[in-house]
Amino acid sequence: MDVRNAIKFMILSTMAFACMNVVVKYLDNVNTYQIVFFRSLGSLFFTFGYLLKNKIPLIGNKNKLLILRSVVGATSMLFFFMSVKYLSVGTAVSLRYTAPIFAAIFAVFILKEQIKTLQWLFFVVSFIGVLILKGIDNQMDTTGLLLVIIAAMLSGLVYIMINQIGQSEHPVVVVNYFMVTAMILGGVLSIGNWVTPTGNEWPLLFSLGVFGYFGQIYMTKAFQTASTNIIAPLKYVEVVFTVLLGITLFNEVYTFWSLFGMVLIISGLVLNVWYKGKLKQ
């Protein structure tokens, strides 16, 4: 177990995802469907290349589940990108990270898993953070909140599906299915809604796939290098990077209550990861 390298990989991953988030925010004039299309198309260059180079079959074993996971994941991505147009980018990312709460709830009903009382308490802490963001922070847009919560719910459902897929599929095969589906979804929805990007928007659109791919790869490497309870809390550093980039690039203003709400959301989720790690020891 190489903790130092694992931390480095996770930091690189969160930086890549934060860059992707702010590019989405910057492309405010580009249709969200196009953003999903180009985000997926850019990553497909890497996933297809990897699978072909390593002679890994493109078609998986659990095809129905892979397709369902991809449709739900692509829809989640679409709703999240839509929410960024209504919310400050740091707030949107913080709220998207409530996905583990929904995953835990789905796991109770679908996988018949049990959740400890202390875990529910940590989830309540995160939920209070959401209420503070909406109830006290007057900057919160209701449409944006609804979109990002739907995205988080769908993302939580994706976690359950990935759990069901298990080790039967190569990780890049799973990501490849996801990117193909998202590209088709974004492409079809872009018909009739196309907005021609300007000269400097084209490279930014293609950069989405690059940032997304390397964010995914470094995150995978981090989890492969060290234990989950050490690495998983570092995922939330993405929120810090995104907030800083939002302030620097877009002059976004975060009130005390919005920052306090974010801290509660992330604290509850980090405590849950820590507690789950203790239970496995």
Side-chain angles (χ1 to χ4, degrees):
M1 184 170 67
D2 189 345
V3 175
R4 180 176 294 181
N5 267 335
I7 291 173
K8 180 181 72 175
F9 290 145
M10 185 54 80
I11 294 298
L12 288 171
S13 170
T14 57
M15 289 176 67
F17 281 129
C19 288
M20 185 184 74
N21 296 333
V22 297
V23 170
V24 171
K25 183 72 173 179
Y26 181 82
L27 294 170
D28 191 51
N29 295 321
V30 179
N31 193 286
T32 307
Y33 306 136
Q34 290 170 246
I35 293 176
V36 170
F37 174 78
F38 283 103
R39 155 72 176 96
S40 310
L41 179 64
S43 289
L44 281 174
F45 283 108
F46 296 100
T47 56
F48 267 118
Y50 181 91
L51 294 174
L52 293 173
K53 178 184 176 182
N54 293 279
K55 298 180 180 178
I56 299 171
L58 298 176
I59 305 300
N61 301 308
K62 297 182 177 179
N63 290 304
K64 289 183 179 179
L65 193 55
L66 282 167
I67 292 171
L68 183 60
R69 173 261 182 270
S70 299
V71 170
V72 175
T75 308
S76 175
M77 181 198 297
L78 177 63
F79 277 108
F80 172 66
F81 286 170
M82 284 180 172
S83 74
V84 172
K85 294 183 180 293
Y86 294 91
L87 304 171
S88 62
V89 66
T91 300
V93 172
S94 299
L95 289 168
R96 186 193 63 187
Y97 270 129
T98 57
I101 300 175
F102 296 108
I105 294 170
F106 290 138
V108 170
F109 294 101
I110 297 173
L111 304 180
K112 308 302 180 185
E113 289 185 1
Q114 290 187 338
I115 299 177
K116 303 293 184 181
T117 303
L118 202 54
Q119 287 179 275
W120 284 117
L121 179 61
F122 295 147
F123 288 148
V124 168
V125 170
S126 294
F127 185 66
I128 290 172
V130 176
L131 292 180
I132 288 175
L133 277 175
K134 176 54 189 163
I136 300 179
D137 181 14
N138 55 18
Q139 293 181 332
M140 174 67 70
D141 182 276
T142 302
T143 301
L145 174 64
L146 180 62
L147 288 169
V148 77
I149 291 298
I150 293 173
M153 290 177 66
L154 293 172
S155 186
L157 194 56
V158 166
Y159 292 168
I160 301 299
M161 293 178 187
I162 291 176
N163 177 273
Q164 292 297 288
I165 291 170
Q167 301 296 317
S168 65
E169 309 288 352
H170 191 284
V172 180
V173 172
V174 179
V175 174
N176 195 60
Y177 265 79
F178 173 35
M179 290 297 102
V180 169
T181 304
M183 183 187 70
I184 294 171
L185 176 67
V188 170
L189 292 175
S190 293
I191 299 172
N193 296 294
W194 186 266
V195 176
T196 302
T198 60
N200 69 324
E201 287 174 339
W202 280 110
L204 289 174
L205 279 168
F206 284 107
S207 76
L208 290 170
V210 178
F211 286 132
Y213 177 77
F214 281 103
Q216 192 74 42
I217 288 297
Y218 281 120
M219 182 175 69
T220 302
K221 284 188 174 185
F223 280 109
Q224 289 174 335
T225 308
S227 59
T228 301
N229 61 316
I230 294 175
I231 297 304
L234 292 174
K235 286 193 304 180
Y236 303 108
V237 176
E238 179 188 342
V239 176
V240 178
F241 285 137
T242 304
V243 167
L244 292 175
L245 287 171
I247 293 171
T248 304
L249 299 176
F250 307 116
N251 296 317
E252 291 183 341
V253 177
Y254 294 88
T255 66
F256 166 79
W257 289 112
S258 63
L259 292 174
F260 184 56
M262 290 181 199
V263 168
L264 285 180
I265 291 171
I266 302 306
S267 296
L269 296 171
V270 169
L271 286 169
N272 180 60
V273 172
W274 167 79
Y275 184 67
K276 284 172 68 177
K278 296 250 325 175
L279 291 176
K280 292 178 181 178
Q281 291 179 356

